[in-house]
Amino acid sequence: MLIVSLFVASGNAFSQPVEKEPAAVVELGVAPSWNLKDGGSSIGPTVAVEITPIENWLELEAGVTPTFAHHSTEWDTDLLFKKPWTLSKKAEFMFGVGPVWVHKRFYGMTTNSVGTEAVLDFMFWPSRKHRFGWYLEPGYEYNFGRGHEQSVGISGGLLIAIP
C-alpha cells in the first residue's frame, strides 16, 4: 500500500502546472454608440478593470467611458456582474448586467442620472497564457433619467492580463 501511495503522490508531482487566473484584466478600447430615441451617435475611449471573485461563476467589471457627440459630452461609469463561459482555450463569452451612472453635458446644461446596462462580452486570447488579447462587447443601455434614453453600442479593443 505504501508503494501505491508513493506512486500516486509522485504522479501529482510531475503533472502539468495549473494555469493561474490573472488577478485582473484591463480592457482598453473604443466605444461607439447610437441613441435609439433621437438617432444621434457618439464615440469615445473606454477603460475597464475586470476581476474574478468566483471562478467560472462571477466576474465583476468596473469601467468608465467618455463619449463625445455634437454639442454634448457624456461620461458613463458602470459596474457589471458577468457570468463567464469558456468556449475554448482561446475564447471566452460572458453575459453581464449592472448599474450605470451617467454624467451628461448637453448645450451647457449638466445632468446626472442612473440606468442599467446589459452586455455580451466576447474575449479572444491569441496564446494559451492569456496575457494579451482582444475583445468585442455589444451592449444596450437604458437611462432612468429624464427622457428615458436608450442606446446600443459596441466597444472593442485590447485585453491586458495583470498577474
Side-chain angles (χ1 to χ4, degrees):
M1 188 65 171
L2 180 62
I3 294 172
V4 172
S5 63
L6 286 173
F7 180 77
V8 171
S10 67
N12 289 338
F14 295 112
S15 66
Q16 294 292 329
V18 176
E19 287 286 329
K20 186 178 176 192
E21 188 79 20
V25 174
V26 175
E27 296 179 357
L28 301 171
V30 64
S33 67
W34 298 269
N35 187 314
L36 297 176
K37 195 166 186 175
D38 66 12
S41 63
S42 61
I43 191 168
T46 185
V47 63
V49 176
E50 188 175 282
I51 62 168
T52 306
I54 305 172
E55 194 167 339
N56 298 321
W57 284 99
L58 177 64
E59 298 207 10
L60 298 175
E61 178 185 300
V64 79
T65 305
T67 56
F68 307 95
H70 193 61
H71 299 292
S72 73
T73 302
E74 183 175 307
W75 287 78
D76 290 1
T77 305
D78 60 14
L79 176 63
L80 298 173
F81 299 84
K82 295 180 173 182
K83 167 63 175 127
W85 288 274
T86 301
L87 303 177
S88 73
K89 292 180 181 184
K90 295 184 178 185
E92 298 175 48
F93 168 74
M94 289 181 246
F95 172 73
V97 295
V100 60
W101 173 66
V102 181
H103 177 81
K104 187 172 186 175
R105 185 165 176 84
F106 186 68
Y107 284 106
M109 294 180 55
T110 301
T111 60
N112 291 293
S113 58
V114 294
T116 189
E117 184 176 17
V119 299
L120 304 174
D121 189 359
F122 299 91
M123 302 171 84
F124 305 96
W125 303 94
S127 74
R128 290 184 184 205
K129 293 188 179 188
H130 291 206
R131 290 193 179 138
F132 296 97
W134 61 279
Y135 74 97
L136 287 174
E137 190 175 274
Y140 169 79
E141 183 178 306
Y142 183 86
N143 190 326
F144 297 119
R146 188 177 197 171
H148 297 279
E149 291 183 6
Q150 299 176 56
S151 60
V152 293
I154 185 166
S155 62
L158 180 65
L159 296 170
I160 304 168
I162 308 297

